[in-house]
């Protein structure tokens, strides 16, 4: 690889490429889920990655593409999403992801009286790279509860919001948990100067695998080029977000997305690649391309 000295040492996990490269490893994902949801659901011994595209079940329904999706040995399903920039009504979107997945288990015209078992647990883990005012804790768990008693009355869908900006870290604290160590690494692996060197002494085997997979030196030139393109998208998305929310106008976000599309088209990316990289509907990419031709 050329010019390695000028490259950063680790990839940024906020990129789609970096996130899927590291968390798409079975050992890493299993350990991460055990740390986040293991107390509620028990030790996860095995998992299988599923197709990230959940195609529409009904003609009027939109399809959904998840960042990562896996099925546990007991049949429960988990989606893990990295959210890097502000998104209006994100909680609504998170619910849509999980209810869309529920369609796999509930067929049209199904006779409820004939069901012998309930659907498996459908669990969403949403890693947030930007603060959300209503999420004050590092990890916020949600469930359907009785508001009076706080008792959970339906547990088939659960959501875990991991708010990275809310997390602070003190390596001198001898009571640090594995959860603390993992979240610290996820938050800062693209900026390793922010991670205390002692983190390596406290990291478990699976976290060390994640760190090794995040090394820039492990990438081919082709992979690094893709990673650089995604960093540009991440930067452009942040600019678009600031432009839109500073004015409080949807037009601002729309203009920001248009600029991202135009810039990537000029760089030689195909419309489908742009849609996948920037998570912009393909129809919008093609509309901008058509107007720009």
């Amino acid at each position: 690889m050329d010019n390695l000295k000028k490259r950063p040492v680790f990839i940024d996990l906020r990129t789609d490429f970096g996130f899927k490269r590291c968390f798409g490893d079975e050992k890493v994902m299993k350990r991460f889920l055990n740390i986040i949801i293991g107390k509620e659901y028990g030790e996860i011994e095995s998992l299988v990655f599923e197709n990230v595209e959940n195609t529409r079940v009904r003609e009027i329904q939109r399809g959904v593409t998840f960042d990562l999706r896996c099925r546990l040995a007991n049949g429960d399903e988990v989606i893990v999403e990295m959210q890097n920039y502000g998104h209006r009504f994100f909680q609504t979107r998170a619910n849509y992801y999980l209810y869309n997945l529920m369609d796999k288990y509930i067929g049209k015209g199904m006779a409820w009286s004939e069901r012998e078992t309930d659907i498996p647990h459908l669990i969403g883990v949403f890693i947030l790279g930007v603060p959300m005012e209503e999420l004050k804790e590092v990890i916020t768990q949600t469930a359907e509860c009785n508001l009076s008693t706080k008792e959970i009355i339906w547990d088939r869908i659960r959501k875990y919001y991991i708010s990275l900006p809310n997390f602070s870290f003190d390596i001198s604290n001898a009571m640090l948990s594995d959860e603390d160590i993992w979240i610290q690494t996820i938050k800062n692996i693209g900026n390793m100067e922010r991670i205390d060197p002692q983190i390596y002494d406290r990291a478990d085997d699976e976290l060390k695998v994640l760190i090794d997979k995040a090394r820039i030196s492990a990438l081919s030139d082709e992979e690094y080029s893709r990673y650089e393109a995604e960093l540009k998208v991440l930067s452009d998305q942040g600019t678009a977000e600031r432009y839109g929310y500073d004015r409080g106008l949807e037009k601002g976000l729309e203009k920001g997305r248009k600029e991202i599309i135009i810039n990537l088209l000029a760089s030689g990316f195909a419309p489908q690649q742009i849609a996948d990289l920037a998570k912009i509907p393909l129809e919008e990419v093609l509309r901008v391309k058509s107007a720009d031709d």
Side-chain angles (χ1 to χ4, degrees), residues 4 11 22 58 89 106-107 144 150 156 183 189 199 214:
L4 256 182
I11 58 181
C22 293
R58 301 181 182 90
F89 318 121
I106 302 176
E144 187 165 329
K150 310 303 180 186
R156 295 297 98 178
I183 294 177
I189 199 166
I199 194 82

Side-chain angles (χ1 to χ4, degrees), residues 3 12-13 21 26 36 42 60 62 69 75 80 84 117 122 147 161 177 183-184 201-202 215 232 275:
N3 229 9
D12 192 326
L13 293 186
R21 175 180 175 82
E26 181 182 348
I36 301 302
I60 61 171
R62 292 177 58 191
R69 172 183 164 195
V80 183
N84 304 310
T117 60
L122 306 177
L147 289 177
Y161 297 99
S177 65
I183 294 177
Q184 160 73 354
D201 298 329
R202 304 286 296 273
R215 293 183 187 278
K232 177 67 165 58

Side-chain angles (χ1 to χ4, degrees), residues 65-76:
T65 300
F66 307 114
D67 282 349
L68 286 168
R69 172 183 164 195
C70 58
R71 178 169 44 83
L72 309 185
N74 63 0
D76 291 346

Side-chain angles (χ1 to χ4, degrees), residues 167-181 184 196 198-199 202:
F167 181 74
S168 59
F169 185 82
D170 179 7
I171 194 69
S172 65
N173 182 357
M175 300 302 291
L176 285 171
S177 65
D178 289 341
E179 180 183 284
D180 295 326
I181 301 294
Q184 160 73 354
D196 191 295
Q198 296 179 66
I199 194 82
R202 304 286 296 273

Side-chain angles (χ1 to χ4, degrees), residues 49-52 54 66 68-70 77-79 101 104:
F49 285 102
E50 299 279 279
N51 188 342
V52 294
N54 197 53
F66 307 114
L68 286 168
R69 172 183 164 195
C70 58
E77 292 211 38
V78 183
I79 60 172
L101 188 56
K104 187 173 91 170

Side-chain angles (χ1 to χ4, degrees), residues 17 20 27 39 52 89 95 100-101 111 121 124 185 195 216 228 232 292:
F17 172 82
K20 290 179 179 176
K27 290 182 179 179
K39 293 176 184 177
V52 294
F89 318 121
N95 275 294
N100 188 290
L101 188 56
H121 294 103
T185 306
I195 297 183
I216 292 291
E228 275 194 316
K232 177 67 165 58
D292 198 47

Side-chain angles (χ1 to χ4, degrees), residues 255-274:
K255 181 175 179 180
R257 290 196 301 269
K258 181 177 179 182
E259 290 176 354
I260 291 172
I261 295 168
I262 291 173
N263 289 340
L264 290 177
L265 285 170
S267 298
F269 285 87
Q272 187 62 62
Q273 289 177 305
I274 296 171

Side-chain angles (χ1 to χ4, degrees), residues 46-259:
S46 64
L47 58 83
V48 176
F49 285 102
E50 299 279 279
N51 188 342
V52 294
E53 183 177 0
N54 197 53
T55 55
R56 64 183 186 177
V57 177
R58 301 181 182 90
E59 189 173 343
I60 61 171
Q61 184 182 18
R62 292 177 58 191
V64 168
T65 300
F66 307 114
D67 282 349
L68 286 168
R69 172 183 164 195
C70 58
R71 178 169 44 83
L72 309 185
N74 63 0
D76 291 346
E77 292 211 38
V78 183
I79 60 172
V80 183
E81 290 278 322
M82 171 69 80
Q83 181 68 19
N84 304 310
Y85 57 99
H87 192 291
R88 298 178 69 194
F89 318 121
F90 179 70
Q91 287 89 329
T92 300
R93 178 175 161 186
N95 275 294
Y96 175 74
Y97 286 162
L98 290 166
Y99 281 103
N100 188 290
L101 188 56
M102 190 193 296
D103 265 333
K104 187 173 91 170
Y105 299 97
I106 302 176
K108 186 177 180 181
M110 183 197 71
W112 290 96
S113 60
E114 296 177 4
R115 284 195 71 95
E116 296 182 359
T117 60
D118 206 342
I119 64 171
H121 294 103
L122 306 177
I123 305 161
V125 179
F126 303 99
I127 304 173
L128 309 176
V130 293
M132 290 192 180
E133 185 177 350
E134 59 273 31
L135 301 176
K136 308 293 186 184
E137 301 174 331
V138 176
I139 300 180
T140 303
Q141 301 180 39
T142 72
E144 187 165 329
C145 301
N146 180 323
L147 289 177
S148 299
T149 64
K150 310 303 180 186
E151 180 184 3
I152 296 175
I153 60 173
W154 187 66
D155 68 346
R156 295 297 98 178
I157 283 185
R158 296 288 297 276
K159 296 186 292 299
Y160 295 75
Y161 297 99
I162 303 175
S163 183
L164 298 181
N166 293 347
F167 181 74
S168 59
F169 185 82
D170 179 7
I171 194 69
S172 65
N173 182 357
M175 300 302 291
L176 285 171
S177 65
D178 289 341
E179 180 183 284
D180 295 326
I181 301 294
W182 270 76
I183 294 177
Q184 160 73 354
T185 306
I186 293 168
K187 180 178 180 179
N188 291 315
I189 199 166
N191 301 283
M192 288 302 283
E193 68 277 4
R194 299 181 184 175
I195 297 183
D196 191 295
Q198 296 179 66
I199 194 82
Y200 300 107
D201 298 329
R202 304 286 296 273
D204 54 37
D205 291 342
E206 292 80 8
L207 185 55
K208 288 175 182 175
V209 170
L210 182 150
I211 292 170
D212 285 341
K213 291 181 77 68
R215 293 183 187 278
I216 292 291
S217 59
L219 305 182
S220 67
D221 285 334
E222 182 180 351
E223 289 173 326
Y224 186 75
S225 295
R226 178 183 169 190
Y227 169 64
E228 275 194 316
E230 291 197 10
L231 275 182
K232 177 67 165 58
V233 170
L234 188 63
S235 174
D236 286 349
Q237 285 173 331
T239 301
E241 175 202 343
R242 289 191 295 274
Y243 183 94
Y245 284 109
D246 284 350
R247 290 158 179 76
L249 297 172
E250 185 65 28
K251 284 185 177 179
L253 292 175
E254 194 174 313
K255 181 175 179 180
R257 290 196 301 269
K258 181 177 179 182
E259 290 176 354

